[in-house]
Amino acid sequence: MGYPAIPLTRSRFDTVRRSFWIGGAWRDPVAGRDGPGTAVLDPSGRGAVGRVPLGEAADVSAAVDAARTAFPVWAAADAGERRALLHAIAVGITNREADFARLISAEMGAPVDNALTTQTRLAAEVFTSYAEILDGHAWEERIGTSQVVQEPVGVVAAITPWNYPLYLIAAKVAAALAAGCTVVLKPSGDAPLNAFLLAEVIAEATAEVGAPGGVFNLISGSGRTVGAALVSAPGVDAVSFTGSTEAGRAVAAAAAGTVKGLGLELGGKSARVILADEPDGTEVTGLEEAVRAALADVFYNSGQTCTSCSRVLVPDGLYDEVVRLAVEEAAKWRLGDPALPGNHIGPIATSAQFDSVLTHIDQATAQGARLVAGGRASREDIPEGLVEGYWVLPTVFAEVTNDMAIAREEIFGPVVCLMRYRDEQEALWIANDSIYGLAGAVWCANHSRAERFARQIRAGLVTVNNGEFNVRAPTGGYKQSGVGRELGVHGLHHFMETKTIQW
Ligand code: NAD
């Protein structure tokens, strides 16, 4: 596109960051290279693993200006040029996947195997999926005498959390770039290092394909300062936010001032319903597998998956059997050093999250739930070679009822709630009795019954039996779990404006 290639120094796998990626160059914060910064802490107790600058409102303005400057050029780029950039970013992530995995593991505690496969490779796949979507995508349609045209919305503010940091960034950045938008990203302050490495990858990709450097801009800082300034900046056209429902409400209120388009991916408290083979019968085909899948869903990533189904609903007649199986299954899960390969459970990602999970565990016992596995970790539970960290054992509570705080609030830790139901109508009622509607799951050997039940769950993503996650299909929340959808072709909509030209 006639843009000069940007001279780049190849990465040093830098974890001490002193500048922001703005307008195609590493730029010092307005407070200077040695201005305020924040340490990035390893949650397995190894101390600081890096540092990023704490930006301020003037940094936000510089990043938004750069994105605005790049917008008309990128909006005019054809599908082939956009595809080339998305593909180059996917390749760049893949080339450096070991670096990404090590970084993510160190900054948020995911065991390296998880950090490589789910966290990093899934992110690369999201970029690839959008390159594919652009192949033959229909941007226009004729409706009677009108030509209906899809156009990029403009400059997008992307604000992301720490639990699947790179993948959740990819879900926004890939879709926005595919749509022809330019982006200012503010990643989580708890796991920002992967975003700085991504900026290096995007820097190389833009240079390689000749895209304007300002298509992607990165600043770091607190949600209250940098996040809030970004959301209310007049130069930002749309906000795409993933995080807690509480912060999502604040973002929605701030975005209202300038009437911005808003995509919100928020919290959840999802239910998994184990159905008997016959309506309200007492046989469940594959019950052991059902319990294994239920626990794996909640223990993976230390329970820090927004779509995990932590309320497990079980027919009354099978309840004691399921509790026994769950206790057996939980005992197979081990805490382990995230720096080591394996399918163990890492620590909770942050100190605040750790305190919140422990508070929920204590509160559950006080409210009458029965702790049947796990709970607070003791010193002896800390994996070998480590002395500290935010460790919570894989935990199962029985006799949970839907009025208890652990059934109503998002815990975001490895805590399973086993709940009884009398008949399927009650199961459905309990599943939907939540302010959230992010996900759900059904286990049933009879596929048509499973599908009927899945259709009645008021949530954006429902898994049947061992159904697999698909980055080409949309995800998002009903109710207070969010607004809009991410991923796949539906994920483009938030980044597009629709124009009708009538003749
Ligand atoms: P968080 O809400 O504390 O922070 C998310 C991001 O928002 C961070 O970058 C933070 O700095 C920023 N932020 C906070 N307050 C802000 C404000 N007032 N204005 C602008 N930005 C602000 O969430 P977290 O603790 O990082 O992540 C965990 C939460 O994210 C959980 O609730 C989880 O369910 C949710 N989540 C949802 C999805 C989904 O797809 N629905 C996916 C992953 C995580």
Short mmCIF file of all heavy atoms in Angstrom, two decimals, residues 270-274 284-301 303 305 307-314 322 325-330 332-333 396 415-418 440-444 463-468:
data_model
loop_
_atom_site.label_atom_id
_atom_site.label_comp_id
_atom_site.label_asym_id
_atom_site.label_seq_id
_atom_site.Cartn_x
_atom_site.Cartn_y
_atom_site.Cartn_z
N SER A 270 -22.34 -20.40 35.11
CA SER A 270 -23.08 -21.28 34.20
C SER A 270 -23.40 -22.63 34.83
O SER A 270 -22.73 -23.07 35.77
CB SER A 270 -22.29 -21.45 32.91
OG SER A 270 -22.04 -20.18 32.36
N ALA A 271 -24.43 -23.29 34.28
CA ALA A 271 -24.89 -24.57 34.82
C ALA A 271 -24.65 -25.69 33.81
O ALA A 271 -24.79 -25.50 32.61
CB ALA A 271 -26.38 -24.48 35.14
N ARG A 272 -24.28 -26.85 34.35
CA ARG A 272 -24.17 -28.08 33.56
C ARG A 272 -25.24 -29.02 34.10
O ARG A 272 -25.31 -29.27 35.31
CB ARG A 272 -22.79 -28.69 33.77
CG ARG A 272 -22.63 -30.10 33.20
CD ARG A 272 -21.23 -30.60 33.50
NE ARG A 272 -20.26 -29.70 32.90
CZ ARG A 272 -19.72 -29.88 31.69
NH1 ARG A 272 -20.01 -30.96 30.99
NH2 ARG A 272 -18.86 -29.02 31.19
N VAL A 273 -26.07 -29.52 33.22
CA VAL A 273 -27.16 -30.40 33.67
C VAL A 273 -26.90 -31.82 33.18
O VAL A 273 -26.76 -32.06 31.98
CB VAL A 273 -28.53 -29.89 33.13
CG1 VAL A 273 -29.65 -30.77 33.62
CG2 VAL A 273 -28.75 -28.44 33.56
N ILE A 274 -26.80 -32.74 34.14
CA ILE A 274 -26.68 -34.15 33.78
C ILE A 274 -28.10 -34.71 33.75
O ILE A 274 -28.81 -34.71 34.76
CB ILE A 274 -25.80 -34.90 34.81
CG1 ILE A 274 -24.38 -34.30 34.79
CG2 ILE A 274 -25.77 -36.40 34.51
CD1 ILE A 274 -23.41 -34.92 35.79
N VAL A 284 -27.90 -43.04 33.77
CA VAL A 284 -27.21 -42.06 32.91
C VAL A 284 -26.09 -42.79 32.20
O VAL A 284 -25.15 -43.26 32.84
CB VAL A 284 -26.63 -40.89 33.74
CG1 VAL A 284 -25.77 -39.98 32.85
CG2 VAL A 284 -27.72 -40.09 34.40
N THR A 285 -26.18 -42.89 30.90
CA THR A 285 -25.10 -43.52 30.13
C THR A 285 -23.85 -42.64 30.27
O THR A 285 -23.92 -41.43 30.08
CB THR A 285 -25.50 -43.63 28.64
OG1 THR A 285 -26.68 -44.39 28.58
CG2 THR A 285 -24.40 -44.29 27.82
N GLY A 286 -22.73 -43.27 30.61
CA GLY A 286 -21.46 -42.53 30.70
C GLY A 286 -21.41 -41.59 31.90
O GLY A 286 -20.83 -40.50 31.80
N LEU A 287 -22.00 -41.99 33.03
CA LEU A 287 -22.04 -41.09 34.18
C LEU A 287 -20.62 -40.70 34.65
O LEU A 287 -20.36 -39.54 34.97
CB LEU A 287 -22.82 -41.73 35.34
CG LEU A 287 -23.00 -40.86 36.58
CD1 LEU A 287 -23.77 -39.59 36.25
CD2 LEU A 287 -23.70 -41.61 37.71
N GLU A 288 -19.72 -41.70 34.67
CA GLU A 288 -18.35 -41.38 35.11
C GLU A 288 -17.71 -40.35 34.20
O GLU A 288 -17.04 -39.41 34.66
CB GLU A 288 -17.48 -42.65 35.10
CG GLU A 288 -17.78 -43.55 36.27
CD GLU A 288 -16.86 -44.76 36.32
OE1 GLU A 288 -15.75 -44.70 35.78
OE2 GLU A 288 -17.29 -45.76 36.91
N GLU A 289 -17.93 -40.53 32.91
CA GLU A 289 -17.38 -39.58 31.93
C GLU A 289 -18.02 -38.20 32.11
O GLU A 289 -17.36 -37.17 31.99
CB GLU A 289 -17.62 -40.14 30.52
CG GLU A 289 -17.23 -39.25 29.36
CD GLU A 289 -15.74 -38.93 29.31
OE1 GLU A 289 -14.98 -39.54 30.07
OE2 GLU A 289 -15.38 -38.03 28.53
N ALA A 290 -19.31 -38.21 32.43
CA ALA A 290 -20.02 -36.94 32.65
C ALA A 290 -19.41 -36.18 33.83
O ALA A 290 -19.20 -34.97 33.77
CB ALA A 290 -21.50 -37.19 32.90
N VAL A 291 -19.09 -36.92 34.90
CA VAL A 291 -18.52 -36.28 36.09
C VAL A 291 -17.08 -35.82 35.79
O VAL A 291 -16.68 -34.71 36.16
CB VAL A 291 -18.55 -37.25 37.29
CG1 VAL A 291 -17.81 -36.67 38.49
CG2 VAL A 291 -20.01 -37.57 37.66
N ARG A 292 -16.34 -36.66 35.05
CA ARG A 292 -14.98 -36.28 34.68
C ARG A 292 -15.00 -34.97 33.87
O ARG A 292 -14.23 -34.05 34.13
CB ARG A 292 -14.35 -37.40 33.85
CG ARG A 292 -12.84 -37.28 33.71
CD ARG A 292 -12.24 -38.48 32.98
NE ARG A 292 -12.65 -39.74 33.57
CZ ARG A 292 -13.12 -40.80 32.89
NH1 ARG A 292 -13.22 -40.75 31.59
NH2 ARG A 292 -13.47 -41.90 33.52
N ALA A 293 -15.90 -34.91 32.88
CA ALA A 293 -15.98 -33.71 32.03
C ALA A 293 -16.39 -32.49 32.86
O ALA A 293 -15.88 -31.39 32.66
CB ALA A 293 -16.98 -33.95 30.91
N ALA A 294 -17.30 -32.71 33.81
CA ALA A 294 -17.79 -31.59 34.63
C ALA A 294 -16.64 -30.99 35.45
O ALA A 294 -16.49 -29.77 35.54
CB ALA A 294 -18.91 -32.07 35.56
N LEU A 295 -15.83 -31.86 36.04
CA LEU A 295 -14.74 -31.36 36.88
C LEU A 295 -13.62 -30.75 36.04
O LEU A 295 -13.06 -29.70 36.39
CB LEU A 295 -14.19 -32.48 37.78
CG LEU A 295 -14.84 -32.54 39.18
CD1 LEU A 295 -16.34 -32.73 39.13
CD2 LEU A 295 -14.19 -33.61 40.05
N ALA A 296 -13.31 -31.40 34.91
CA ALA A 296 -12.24 -30.87 34.05
C ALA A 296 -12.59 -29.45 33.59
O ALA A 296 -11.73 -28.57 33.53
CB ALA A 296 -12.03 -31.79 32.85
N ASP A 297 -13.85 -29.24 33.26
CA ASP A 297 -14.30 -27.93 32.78
C ASP A 297 -14.04 -26.85 33.84
O ASP A 297 -13.70 -25.71 33.51
CB ASP A 297 -15.81 -28.04 32.47
CG ASP A 297 -16.42 -26.72 32.09
OD1 ASP A 297 -15.82 -26.02 31.27
OD2 ASP A 297 -17.51 -26.39 32.61
N VAL A 298 -14.19 -27.20 35.11
CA VAL A 298 -14.04 -26.19 36.17
C VAL A 298 -12.59 -26.10 36.66
O VAL A 298 -12.13 -25.04 37.05
CB VAL A 298 -15.00 -26.48 37.34
CG1 VAL A 298 -14.90 -25.40 38.41
CG2 VAL A 298 -16.44 -26.56 36.85
N PHE A 299 -11.86 -27.21 36.65
CA PHE A 299 -10.50 -27.17 37.19
C PHE A 299 -9.48 -26.61 36.18
O PHE A 299 -8.45 -26.07 36.57
CB PHE A 299 -10.05 -28.57 37.63
CG PHE A 299 -10.83 -29.10 38.82
CD1 PHE A 299 -10.86 -30.46 39.10
CD2 PHE A 299 -11.54 -28.24 39.66
CE1 PHE A 299 -11.57 -30.95 40.19
CE2 PHE A 299 -12.26 -28.72 40.75
CZ PHE A 299 -12.27 -30.08 41.01
N TYR A 300 -9.79 -26.76 34.89
CA TYR A 300 -8.86 -26.27 33.86
C TYR A 300 -8.61 -24.77 34.05
O TYR A 300 -9.54 -24.03 34.37
CB TYR A 300 -9.45 -26.54 32.47
CG TYR A 300 -8.46 -26.32 31.36
CD1 TYR A 300 -7.41 -27.20 31.15
CD2 TYR A 300 -8.54 -25.20 30.55
CE1 TYR A 300 -6.48 -26.99 30.15
CE2 TYR A 300 -7.61 -24.97 29.53
CZ TYR A 300 -6.58 -25.88 29.34
OH TYR A 300 -5.65 -25.65 28.36
N ASN A 301 -7.37 -24.36 33.87
CA ASN A 301 -7.01 -22.94 34.03
C ASN A 301 -7.37 -22.44 35.44
O ASN A 301 -7.70 -21.28 35.64
CB ASN A 301 -7.69 -22.07 32.97
CG ASN A 301 -6.88 -20.84 32.60
OD1 ASN A 301 -5.65 -20.89 32.53
ND2 ASN A 301 -7.55 -19.73 32.38
N GLY A 303 -9.93 -22.86 37.12
CA GLY A 303 -11.31 -22.37 37.24
C GLY A 303 -11.50 -20.96 36.71
O GLY A 303 -12.58 -20.38 36.86
N THR A 305 -12.05 -19.64 33.84
CA THR A 305 -12.60 -19.65 32.48
C THR A 305 -14.00 -19.08 32.59
O THR A 305 -14.82 -19.60 33.35
CB THR A 305 -12.66 -21.09 31.93
OG1 THR A 305 -11.36 -21.67 32.00
CG2 THR A 305 -13.16 -21.13 30.50
N THR A 307 -16.53 -19.20 30.76
CA THR A 307 -17.65 -20.06 30.35
C THR A 307 -17.72 -21.36 31.15
O THR A 307 -18.52 -22.24 30.82
CB THR A 307 -17.52 -20.43 28.86
OG1 THR A 307 -16.20 -20.96 28.66
CG2 THR A 307 -17.73 -19.23 27.96
N SER A 308 -16.91 -21.52 32.19
CA SER A 308 -16.94 -22.80 32.90
C SER A 308 -18.29 -22.98 33.60
O SER A 308 -18.90 -22.02 34.08
CB SER A 308 -15.77 -22.90 33.89
OG SER A 308 -16.09 -22.25 35.07
N CYS A 309 -18.74 -24.23 33.63
CA CYS A 309 -20.07 -24.52 34.20
C CYS A 309 -19.87 -25.04 35.61
O CYS A 309 -19.75 -26.25 35.84
CB CYS A 309 -20.79 -25.54 33.34
SG CYS A 309 -21.11 -24.92 31.68
N SER A 310 -19.81 -24.12 36.56
CA SER A 310 -19.43 -24.50 37.92
C SER A 310 -20.62 -24.96 38.75
O SER A 310 -20.45 -25.51 39.83
CB SER A 310 -18.71 -23.34 38.60
OG SER A 310 -19.52 -22.20 38.56
N ARG A 311 -21.85 -24.76 38.27
CA ARG A 311 -23.03 -25.34 38.94
C ARG A 311 -23.36 -26.64 38.21
O ARG A 311 -23.75 -26.61 37.04
CB ARG A 311 -24.23 -24.40 38.87
CG ARG A 311 -24.05 -23.11 39.68
CD ARG A 311 -25.32 -22.27 39.63
NE ARG A 311 -25.61 -21.76 38.31
CZ ARG A 311 -26.83 -21.58 37.81
NH1 ARG A 311 -27.89 -21.88 38.53
NH2 ARG A 311 -27.01 -21.09 36.60
N VAL A 312 -23.15 -27.77 38.87
CA VAL A 312 -23.39 -29.06 38.23
C VAL A 312 -24.69 -29.64 38.79
O VAL A 312 -24.78 -29.94 39.99
CB VAL A 312 -22.20 -30.01 38.45
CG1 VAL A 312 -22.49 -31.36 37.80
CG2 VAL A 312 -20.93 -29.39 37.88
N LEU A 313 -25.70 -29.76 37.94
CA LEU A 313 -27.05 -30.16 38.38
C LEU A 313 -27.24 -31.66 38.11
O LEU A 313 -27.06 -32.12 36.99
CB LEU A 313 -28.10 -29.35 37.62
CG LEU A 313 -28.42 -27.97 38.20
CD1 LEU A 313 -27.22 -27.09 38.33
CD2 LEU A 313 -29.47 -27.28 37.32
N VAL A 314 -27.63 -32.37 39.18
CA VAL A 314 -27.64 -33.83 39.15
C VAL A 314 -29.02 -34.33 39.58
O VAL A 314 -29.59 -33.81 40.54
CB VAL A 314 -26.58 -34.35 40.15
CG1 VAL A 314 -26.55 -35.85 40.17
CG2 VAL A 314 -25.21 -33.77 39.85
N VAL A 322 -22.99 -39.46 42.31
CA VAL A 322 -22.20 -38.40 41.66
C VAL A 322 -21.23 -37.77 42.66
O VAL A 322 -20.07 -37.49 42.32
CB VAL A 322 -23.13 -37.34 41.02
CG1 VAL A 322 -22.35 -36.09 40.61
CG2 VAL A 322 -23.85 -37.93 39.81
N LEU A 325 -18.33 -40.14 42.92
CA LEU A 325 -17.48 -40.08 41.72
C LEU A 325 -16.69 -38.78 41.66
O LEU A 325 -15.51 -38.77 41.27
CB LEU A 325 -18.35 -40.19 40.45
CG LEU A 325 -18.97 -41.56 40.17
CD1 LEU A 325 -19.98 -41.45 39.03
CD2 LEU A 325 -17.89 -42.58 39.82
N ALA A 326 -17.31 -37.68 42.07
CA ALA A 326 -16.63 -36.39 42.02
C ALA A 326 -15.47 -36.34 43.01
O ALA A 326 -14.40 -35.79 42.71
CB ALA A 326 -17.62 -35.26 42.31
N VAL A 327 -15.66 -36.95 44.18
CA VAL A 327 -14.57 -36.97 45.17
C VAL A 327 -13.40 -37.78 44.61
O VAL A 327 -12.23 -37.36 44.68
CB VAL A 327 -15.07 -37.57 46.52
CG1 VAL A 327 -13.91 -37.83 47.47
CG2 VAL A 327 -16.10 -36.62 47.14
N GLU A 328 -13.72 -38.91 44.01
CA GLU A 328 -12.68 -39.76 43.40
C GLU A 328 -11.94 -39.01 42.29
O GLU A 328 -10.72 -39.05 42.20
CB GLU A 328 -13.36 -40.97 42.74
CG GLU A 328 -13.22 -42.27 43.50
CD GLU A 328 -13.99 -43.37 42.76
OE1 GLU A 328 -13.84 -43.53 41.52
OE2 GLU A 328 -14.78 -44.01 43.44
N GLU A 329 -12.71 -38.34 41.47
CA GLU A 329 -12.15 -37.64 40.32
C GLU A 329 -11.29 -36.44 40.76
O GLU A 329 -10.21 -36.21 40.22
CB GLU A 329 -13.31 -37.18 39.42
CG GLU A 329 -12.93 -36.59 38.11
CD GLU A 329 -12.08 -37.50 37.23
OE1 GLU A 329 -12.23 -38.73 37.30
OE2 GLU A 329 -11.25 -36.94 36.48
N ALA A 330 -11.78 -35.70 41.76
CA ALA A 330 -11.02 -34.52 42.23
C ALA A 330 -9.66 -34.94 42.76
O ALA A 330 -8.66 -34.22 42.61
CB ALA A 330 -11.81 -33.78 43.30
N LYS A 332 -7.72 -37.01 41.62
CA LYS A 332 -6.74 -37.27 40.54
C LYS A 332 -6.06 -35.97 40.08
O LYS A 332 -5.07 -36.02 39.37
CB LYS A 332 -7.46 -37.90 39.34
CG LYS A 332 -8.02 -39.28 39.64
CD LYS A 332 -8.73 -39.82 38.40
CE LYS A 332 -9.52 -41.06 38.74
NZ LYS A 332 -10.59 -41.31 37.76
N TRP A 333 -6.64 -34.83 40.44
CA TRP A 333 -6.07 -33.55 39.98
C TRP A 333 -4.99 -33.09 40.97
O TRP A 333 -5.17 -33.20 42.18
CB TRP A 333 -7.16 -32.48 39.87
CG TRP A 333 -8.03 -32.71 38.68
CD1 TRP A 333 -9.05 -33.60 38.57
CD2 TRP A 333 -7.95 -32.03 37.42
NE1 TRP A 333 -9.62 -33.53 37.34
CE2 TRP A 333 -8.96 -32.58 36.59
CE3 TRP A 333 -7.13 -31.03 36.91
CZ2 TRP A 333 -9.17 -32.14 35.29
CZ3 TRP A 333 -7.33 -30.60 35.62
CH2 TRP A 333 -8.34 -31.14 34.81
N VAL A 396 -14.60 -29.40 45.67
CA VAL A 396 -15.98 -29.78 45.34
C VAL A 396 -16.86 -29.53 46.56
O VAL A 396 -16.52 -29.98 47.67
CB VAL A 396 -16.08 -31.27 44.93
CG1 VAL A 396 -17.53 -31.63 44.60
CG2 VAL A 396 -15.17 -31.58 43.75
N VAL A 415 -13.63 -24.44 41.79
CA VAL A 415 -14.64 -24.80 42.79
C VAL A 415 -15.93 -25.28 42.09
O VAL A 415 -16.60 -24.50 41.41
CB VAL A 415 -14.95 -23.59 43.70
CG1 VAL A 415 -15.97 -23.98 44.76
CG2 VAL A 415 -13.67 -23.06 44.35
N VAL A 416 -16.24 -26.56 42.30
CA VAL A 416 -17.43 -27.16 41.68
C VAL A 416 -18.56 -27.19 42.72
O VAL A 416 -18.34 -27.58 43.86
CB VAL A 416 -17.13 -28.61 41.24
CG1 VAL A 416 -18.39 -29.31 40.72
CG2 VAL A 416 -16.03 -28.62 40.17
N CYS A 417 -19.77 -26.82 42.30
CA CYS A 417 -20.95 -26.89 43.18
C CYS A 417 -21.85 -28.01 42.67
O CYS A 417 -22.40 -27.92 41.56
CB CYS A 417 -21.74 -25.59 43.12
SG CYS A 417 -20.80 -24.15 43.56
N LEU A 418 -22.03 -29.06 43.47
CA LEU A 418 -22.94 -30.15 43.09
C LEU A 418 -24.32 -29.84 43.65
O LEU A 418 -24.48 -29.67 44.87
CB LEU A 418 -22.43 -31.49 43.62
CG LEU A 418 -21.08 -31.96 43.05
CD1 LEU A 418 -20.66 -33.28 43.71
CD2 LEU A 418 -21.15 -32.13 41.53
N GLY A 440 -23.58 -22.83 29.19
CA GLY A 440 -24.31 -23.92 29.82
C GLY A 440 -23.82 -25.22 29.22
O GLY A 440 -23.07 -25.22 28.23
N ALA A 441 -24.22 -26.35 29.83
CA ALA A 441 -23.83 -27.65 29.28
C ALA A 441 -24.91 -28.66 29.62
O ALA A 441 -25.59 -28.55 30.65
CB ALA A 441 -22.49 -28.09 29.85
N VAL A 442 -25.07 -29.62 28.72
CA VAL A 442 -26.04 -30.70 28.93
C VAL A 442 -25.34 -32.01 28.66
O VAL A 442 -24.61 -32.13 27.67
CB VAL A 442 -27.22 -30.60 27.92
CG1 VAL A 442 -28.32 -31.59 28.31
CG2 VAL A 442 -27.77 -29.20 27.86
N TRP A 443 -25.57 -32.98 29.55
CA TRP A 443 -25.05 -34.33 29.30
C TRP A 443 -26.24 -35.24 29.14
O TRP A 443 -27.06 -35.38 30.04
CB TRP A 443 -24.18 -34.79 30.47
CG TRP A 443 -23.52 -36.11 30.17
CD1 TRP A 443 -24.09 -37.34 30.30
CD2 TRP A 443 -22.22 -36.32 29.65
NE1 TRP A 443 -23.22 -38.30 29.89
CE2 TRP A 443 -22.05 -37.70 29.48
CE3 TRP A 443 -21.17 -35.45 29.30
CZ2 TRP A 443 -20.87 -38.26 28.99
CZ3 TRP A 443 -20.00 -36.00 28.81
CH2 TRP A 443 -19.85 -37.39 28.66
N CYS A 444 -26.36 -35.86 27.97
CA CYS A 444 -27.50 -36.77 27.75
C CYS A 444 -27.19 -37.64 26.53
O CYS A 444 -26.78 -37.13 25.48
CB CYS A 444 -28.77 -35.95 27.50
SG CYS A 444 -30.23 -37.00 27.34
N THR A 463 -22.76 -26.36 25.58
CA THR A 463 -22.00 -27.54 25.16
C THR A 463 -22.83 -28.79 25.42
O THR A 463 -23.36 -28.97 26.52
CB THR A 463 -20.69 -27.64 25.97
OG1 THR A 463 -19.95 -26.43 25.76
CG2 THR A 463 -19.85 -28.83 25.54
N VAL A 464 -22.94 -29.65 24.43
CA VAL A 464 -23.64 -30.92 24.62
C VAL A 464 -22.57 -32.03 24.71
O VAL A 464 -21.68 -32.11 23.86
CB VAL A 464 -24.61 -31.20 23.46
CG1 VAL A 464 -25.26 -32.58 23.62
CG2 VAL A 464 -25.69 -30.12 23.41
N ASN A 465 -22.67 -32.83 25.75
CA ASN A 465 -21.71 -33.92 26.02
C ASN A 465 -20.28 -33.40 25.90
O ASN A 465 -19.94 -32.43 26.56
CB ASN A 465 -22.01 -35.11 25.11
CG ASN A 465 -23.42 -35.64 25.39
OD1 ASN A 465 -23.96 -35.42 26.47
ND2 ASN A 465 -24.01 -36.32 24.43
N ASN A 466 -19.46 -34.03 25.03
CA ASN A 466 -18.07 -33.57 24.95
C ASN A 466 -17.85 -32.56 23.82
O ASN A 466 -16.75 -32.50 23.26
CB ASN A 466 -17.13 -34.76 24.77
CG ASN A 466 -16.98 -35.55 26.06
OD1 ASN A 466 -16.82 -34.97 27.13
ND2 ASN A 466 -17.08 -36.86 25.98
N GLY A 467 -18.85 -31.79 23.49
CA GLY A 467 -18.74 -30.81 22.40
C GLY A 467 -17.51 -29.93 22.53
O GLY A 467 -17.14 -29.53 23.62
N GLU A 468 -16.89 -29.64 21.38
CA GLU A 468 -15.62 -28.90 21.42
C GLU A 468 -15.79 -27.43 21.09
O GLU A 468 -16.65 -27.06 20.29
CB GLU A 468 -14.65 -29.51 20.41
CG GLU A 468 -13.96 -30.73 20.97
CD GLU A 468 -12.91 -31.26 20.05
OE1 GLU A 468 -12.47 -30.53 19.14
OE2 GLU A 468 -12.53 -32.43 20.26
#
